[in-house]
Amino acid sequence: MPLGTQDQPLRVAIIGSGPSGFYAAEHLLKQDMAVEIDMYDRLPTPYGLVRGGVAPDHQKIKSVTKVYDKTASNPNFHFYGNVEFGSDITHDDLAKYYHAIVYAVGAQTDRKMDIPGEDLPGSYPATEFVAWYNAHPDYRDFQFDLTQESVAVVGLGNVAMDVIRILARTPAELGKTDIADYALDALKESKVKTIYVLGRRGPAQSAFTNPEIKELGEMEDAEVIVPPDDIALDPLSQAYLESGIDKVAVKNVQILQEYAERGDTGKKIKIVMRFLVSPVELLGDENGITAVKIVKNELYKTDDGSLRPRATDQYETLPIGLIFRSVGYRGKPLPGVPFYDRWGTIPNDKGRVMTEQKDGEQVVGDYVVGWIKRGPSGIIGTNKPDSVESMNMLLEDVRAGKLLNPSAPTRAAVESLLKSRKVRYVTFDEWKRLDEMEVQRGEALGRPRLKFSRIADMLRALDKG
Ligand code: NAP
């Protein structure tokens, strides 16, 4: 009997419920064949980084979840929240119930700077701060010492911009967002006055985009300071901008130049943009960091034409008590799934999982989408074509009969396994109830929502009915 008919629907498990997982589900459900999708997430709540990563003051971006809700409303789609891949359900289990497994787990850890002092108290990956202020249950009990007046953020990406805004916004600005309640309370008491932003390359090589750097200059009581030495362009960057191939970089530099000209207008919090500098050491002791030693860099052109930083012999020390490295996310290996450590991704060929990144063989039935496929790059929408590419490979394999051969391809069988293991899974309808409760709790405070941040509280609220 051919796969994809009413009698034998194509059954696919998607691990992870962020944008890439939902775009993969959407593409499969659009096909002219019978498909059943079961989406798993280790949290009771769906949407991945849209809920746990997108900054709370970027509410509009979060409305993309309406598209995911539409996918979830398809009767052939089921959500199993609060189910951890690898422990509650393993790869071998899934192979009994599904023809294919799609990994959509994102990049769950961070890159390091690899400098002395990086593990001292007061030094954190930006990803932890982001997860904390977004009410991620794993991070809700973290504490950041916001009594410090000087803070550094390393990196010039959009995540760095998010972290800076959350540190620099007034309680009134933050009070209009869905930031976690405990983070709002902590930030209300914040003593942060200076935020050094440390970029290893120059203004023309910034990874942030135009709206994000512009937004930094539009806050109530914070302003951007760009020292004249830092905005000065070296000849290589000047030539790059004049070539006109990178309009985003041209506009970024223009906005930074405007900040440099504007100077200090007396707002309380100063965001000091430093370019062509790299942290080389964090100074301090077991009580915390006290300073960051930075080296001045210069740019040089590599063989492939890109401009890379190279350290000079000029050093400087900035007194700080807190530092967030925002130098990129990184994928984590999953039990029973190949991993390419160098890139922090699952080895794959256009989304088909391979045993090795180079010269490997296809792992039949396994596919990958999103950041765990291509690395942590791009905006939410980038994931759509990326997921479509992987799912087209899956569909090709359906036609070629090259998938798993499950012994119990039914939802009832999966649910009976989960129940036998006492896994309290959360359905999409239950998530919608949590969602309603969060919105209601928020309304009372004039906020878009007040998030649950403990899994036990979510389950208790659901079980109370
Ligand atoms: P990113 O855009 O890749 O930026 C990483 C930054 O870290 C770059 O400035 C990079 O500099 C720097 N860096 C890397 N290694 C470093 C090191 N050892 N020392 C010093 N600096 C180092 O990553 P991201 O900010 O984590 O964002 C991830 C993705 O999510 C991006 O595509 C981003 O646009 C997207 N995102 C979008 C939004 C939005 O649309 N509003 C918000 C958040 C995130 P080099 O350029 O020199 O490598």
Side-chain angles (χ1 to χ4, degrees):
M1 200 188 305
L3 201 55
T5 55
Q6 285 308 325
D7 289 333
Q8 204 190 352
L10 167 70
R11 289 184 41 78
V12 180
I14 299 180
I15 315 300
S17 64
S20 66
F22 269 104
Y23 292 127
E26 182 189 82
H27 190 63
L28 292 178
L29 290 168
K30 256 205 260 176
Q31 305 304 311
D32 189 17
M33 61 163 78
V35 181
E36 288 180 1
I37 308 272
D38 290 348
M39 181 179 272
Y40 294 87
D41 201 293
R42 69 191 188 88
L43 293 181
T45 52
Y47 312 140
L49 278 185
V50 177
R51 179 177 167 98
V54 171
D57 59 344
H58 280 178
Q59 286 298 313
K60 255 201 210 146
I61 296 181
K62 298 189 190 213
S63 59
V64 68
T65 56
K66 288 199 188 111
V67 177
Y68 310 151
D69 289 353
K70 189 155 175 273
T71 299
S73 69
N74 187 311
N76 292 317
F77 175 98
H78 273 57
F79 177 69
Y80 296 94
N82 203 30
V83 181
E84 177 140 18
F85 175 82
S87 53
D88 294 328
I89 201 155
T90 65
H91 180 274
D92 288 352
D93 296 327
L94 293 172
K96 287 187 207 143
Y97 308 117
Y98 300 96
H99 301 101
I101 305 164
V102 180
Y103 302 103
V105 296
Q108 301 199 22
T109 184
D110 65 289
R111 285 207 216 122
K112 294 200 82 169
M113 297 186 289
D114 291 324
I115 58 170
E118 190 165 7
D119 295 321
L120 287 175
S123 162
Y124 304 96
T127 51
E128 288 181 357
F129 187 59
V130 169
W132 173 76
Y133 66 60
N134 276 326
H136 191 298
D138 292 356
Y139 297 88
R140 67 97 60 220
D141 292 318
F142 276 47
Q143 283 184 348
F144 301 95
D145 181 7
L146 298 168
T147 63
Q148 298 297 331
E149 292 194 357
S150 290
V151 178
V153 177
V154 184
L156 299 174
N158 281 334
V159 172
M161 298 297 109
D162 289 346
V163 166
I164 296 162
R165 286 197 318 281
I166 298 306
L167 285 168
R169 284 207 186 274
T170 61
E173 285 174 301
L174 292 174
K176 291 184 227 147
T177 75
D178 68 353
I179 191 168
D181 51 353
Y182 54 82
L184 181 60
D185 289 345
L187 285 158
K188 272 182 188 160
E189 301 299 318
S190 166
K191 301 278 180 291
V192 172
K193 280 200 187 120
T194 308
I195 303 168
Y196 294 103
V197 187
L198 308 178
R200 65 176 170 182
R201 296 193 289 161
Q205 290 80 36
S206 304
F208 47 67
T209 36
N210 301 155
E212 279 68 23
I213 186 64
K214 197 158 173 287
E215 205 179 359
L216 226 50
E218 292 166 347
M219 286 186 284
E220 243 173 52
D221 207 8
E223 61 188 355
V224 184
I225 305 288
V226 188
D229 279 356
D230 287 81
I231 190 68
L233 286 179
D234 58 288
L236 288 172
S237 297
Q238 190 72 48
Y240 175 71
L241 291 183
E242 281 164 10
S243 74
I245 52 168
D246 190 343
K247 296 204 166 46
V248 174
V250 170
K251 185 79 189 163
N252 275 345
V253 171
Q254 195 187 327
I255 295 167
L256 288 163
Q257 278 165 345
E258 281 164 23
Y259 291 147
E261 279 158 30
R262 194 189 299 173
D264 188 334
T265 66
K267 286 190 176 177
K268 191 171 110 199
I269 296 185
K270 314 288 179 200
I271 301 160
V272 183
M273 306 285 300
R274 299 293 312 268
F275 293 98
L276 285 169
V277 291
S278 285
V280 288
E281 186 177 358
L282 298 183
L283 309 175
D285 54 31
E286 67 281 3
N287 297 316
I289 55 165
T290 51
V292 54
K293 185 173 172 192
I294 56 177
V295 66
K296 186 84 190 154
N297 295 328
E298 59 187 10
L299 292 177
Y300 70 98
K301 205 174 201 161
T302 60
D303 292 342
D304 67 9
S306 61
L307 301 181
R308 302 304 310 161
R310 175 164 65 196
T312 66
D313 57 2
Q314 295 166 45
Y315 294 88
E316 198 183 328
T317 300
L318 303 174
I320 53 158
L322 191 59
I323 187 165
F324 296 104
R325 57 176 182 276
S326 183
V327 298
Y329 285 73
R330 194 182 145 76
K332 271 209 300 213
L334 291 172
V337 184
F339 190 67
Y340 185 46
D341 194 60
R342 204 169 141 218
W343 295 350
T345 52
I346 293 176
N348 71 92
D349 182 15
K350 299 196 183 79
R352 283 186 176 111
V353 174
M354 308 296 282
T355 51
E356 308 280 341
Q357 186 57 46
K358 274 189 204 118
D359 307 324
E361 282 174 20
Q362 185 183 350
V363 180
V364 171
D366 280 14
Y367 300 85
V368 62
V369 293
W371 278 8
I372 193 65
K373 170 187 175 188
R374 66 174 197 277
S377 67
I379 56 172
I380 293 170
T382 314
N383 292 297
K384 192 165 177 168
D386 174 282
S387 292
V388 167
E389 177 188 64
S390 300
M391 292 308 94
N392 282 341
M393 295 300 118
L394 190 158
L395 292 166
E396 229 174 60
D397 293 345
V398 174
R399 291 189 285 273
K402 208 173 160 194
L403 289 181
L404 296 170
N405 190 12
S407 55
T410 67
R411 211 161 251 155
V414 182
E415 293 188 357
S416 120
L417 174 91
L418 292 173
K419 282 179 187 148
S420 74
R421 288 188 182 160
K422 306 215 168 3
V423 179
R424 180 7 179 147
Y425 59 83
V426 171
T427 64
F428 208 77
D429 283 347
E430 286 184 311
W431 150 246
K432 291 313 277 178
R433 273 169 49 208
L434 284 175
D435 180 35
E436 242 171 62
M437 287 186 241
E438 288 189 342
V439 171
Q440 264 174 17
R441 291 165 10 141
E443 254 165 24
L445 302 163
R447 304 182 53 200
R449 72 172 61 234
L450 180 55
K451 286 181 176 177
F452 287 101
S453 58
R454 290 195 195 279
I455 293 177
D457 291 345
M458 298 182 204
L459 300 182
R460 207 173 302 122
L462 285 174
D463 291 338
K464 259 206 297 197

